[in-house]
Amino acid sequence: MAEFERKNFDDPDEVIDVPSARVQVVELGDLTVGRMVNEPGWRWSTHMKPIVGGEWCQARHVGFIISGGVRIEFSDGTAAEFGPGDVFDIPPGHDGMTIGDEPCVQVEWTGLRAWAGFPTGIHSRVLATLLFTDLVDSTAHAAKLGDTRWRHLLSELYEASRRELERYGGREVDTTGDGMLARFEGPARALHCAAALQRCAARHDVEIRIGVHVGEVELVGSDVRGIAVHETARIMASAGPREIVVSDLTRGLAGASGMRFEDRGTHELKGLEGQWRLATYIPE
């Protein structure tokens, strides 16, 4: 019987999320094929240049358009537009943009890695422990304290939190106005840090909720991307004031360190499929 390989974009090997665009990637031996969806208003020089660098996209693109349209402007001043059914071979040295009011959907088998930046892709995906925090009742606190005192409180809380991150080997990824996303090498450190962050919040007379989750992420500079980030945010949202809620995988990995947890049963998390078993971390 002849040997063959078959994969489906509904179950991709990798998903690359960049501003206003998403690529679902499948690997067939040495062949990388991607289904790319660029939203209306997407433009390489606006959304990708800050990530990739350079004045022009240096990828050679070979593929075809399924729906929507794209305009390509070349460095020599010429331009071309492609629409549904068009098969293209676009040389390096160009800018690209979605045209019209619908997403441009295309399939490519050359140029994906260079288009998204060489550090972006399957080789920059790592297993990480993510920690999300959120300040409880932040609107009410801000109204009570006033803008100046509230900003001062947030500044003090962030500085104290960053000291704890440094202490436990965490890396700050982003702040959300009244919360923080951080990345750790392992769940034990993240959970010890979470407990310390709760103590910091208590010293500032505020309450925070924390979610901790282990999952695969894509590293893009100092940023992390991927579904695990959204999963961690949903786990955090299920926590109450002063609670540290973790995924079942996090609990299993950290349990070997002798950490204590209280089972919370299974939950449906907004926007995520299936049932999620969660637990509350009980610091010593």
Side-chain angles (χ1 to χ4, degrees), residues 137-150 153 204-206:
D137 293 331
S138 58
T139 302
H141 282 294
K144 179 180 178 180
L145 295 175
D147 290 342
T148 301
R149 292 175 61 196
W150 176 242
L153 174 62
H204 288 82
D205 295 320
V206 294

Side-chain angles (χ1 to χ4, degrees), residues 67 129 171 204 230 273:
S67 62
T129 302
R171 299 182 184 181
H204 288 82
H230 302 288
E273 295 182 358

Side-chain angles (χ1 to χ4, degrees), residues 7 82 85 102 104 121 132 138 152 158 163 194 201-202 210 236 238 242 262:
K7 292 189 176 181
F82 301 87
E102 66 173 304
C104 179
F132 244 125
S138 58
H152 181 68
Y158 276 132
R163 287 194 293 270
I210 300 178
M236 179 269 294
S238 73
R242 300 185 182 183
E262 181 179 300

Side-chain angles (χ1 to χ4, degrees), residues 24-281:
Q24 296 163 298
V25 179
V26 296
E27 306 276 357
L28 294 172
D30 294 330
L31 181 64
T32 300
V33 184
R35 178 170 64 185
M36 182 187 304
V37 179
N38 295 340
E39 298 296 329
W42 176 88
R43 182 166 186 154
W44 182 90
S45 55
T46 300
H47 298 96
M48 299 303 301
K49 181 179 176 180
I51 300 173
V52 179
E55 290 301 312
W56 302 93
C57 176
Q58 294 302 318
R60 176 197 173 200
H61 299 280
V62 179
F64 69 95
I65 305 292
I66 297 174
S67 62
V70 63
R71 176 180 172 86
I72 304 297
E73 296 179 351
F74 298 95
S75 57
D76 64 2
T78 59
E81 293 184 359
F82 301 87
D86 285 341
V87 179
F88 54 81
D89 185 347
I90 300 169
H94 61 269
D95 191 9
M97 65 212 73
T98 302
I99 55 176
D101 56 4
E102 66 173 304
C104 179
V105 182
Q106 59 200 67
V107 171
E108 291 193 15
W109 48 87
T110 297
L112 289 173
R113 299 298 183 203
W115 173 84
F118 289 107
T120 302
I122 199 165
H123 299 297
S124 64
R125 298 187 73 85
V126 299
L127 191 67
T129 302
L130 301 179
L131 180 151
F132 244 125
T133 72
D134 177 60
L135 202 154
V136 178
D137 293 331
S138 58
T139 302
H141 282 294
K144 179 180 178 180
L145 295 175
D147 290 342
T148 301
R149 292 175 61 196
W150 176 242
R151 286 196 298 269
H152 181 68
L153 174 62
L154 280 182
S155 178
E156 286 189 339
L157 184 59
Y158 276 132
E159 287 307 309
S161 298
R162 287 170 180 135
R163 287 194 293 270
E164 297 301 336
L165 285 181
E166 182 177 0
R167 177 184 176 190
Y168 290 102
R171 299 182 184 181
E172 180 181 344
V173 176
D174 197 9
T175 57
T176 60
D178 54 7
M180 178 181 289
L181 171 63
R183 175 168 65 92
F184 294 79
E185 297 298 327
R189 286 189 178 188
L191 291 170
H192 284 305
C193 185
L197 294 177
Q198 291 287 15
R199 293 191 292 269
C200 283
R203 287 195 296 269
H204 288 82
D205 295 320
V206 294
E207 297 176 324
I208 60 174
R209 56 172 59 90
I210 300 178
V212 180
H213 178 46
V214 176
E216 190 179 59
V217 298
E218 182 181 354
L219 304 182
V220 182
S222 61
D223 197 9
V224 296
R225 297 176 182 168
I227 188 62
V229 178
H230 302 288
E231 292 169 347
T232 310
R234 297 304 184 207
I235 292 168
M236 179 269 294
S238 73
R242 300 185 182 183
E243 283 191 330
I244 303 167
V245 176
V246 307
S247 62
D248 195 44
L249 176 58
T250 306
R251 176 185 183 178
L253 292 172
S257 301
M259 294 180 151
R260 294 176 54 234
F261 299 89
E262 181 179 300
D263 186 69
R264 294 172 65 103
T266 57
H267 299 256
E268 290 186 1
L269 300 181
K270 183 179 179 181
L272 302 179
E273 295 182 358
Q275 296 285 321
W276 286 71
R277 179 168 290 278
L278 304 177
T280 301
Y281 169 53

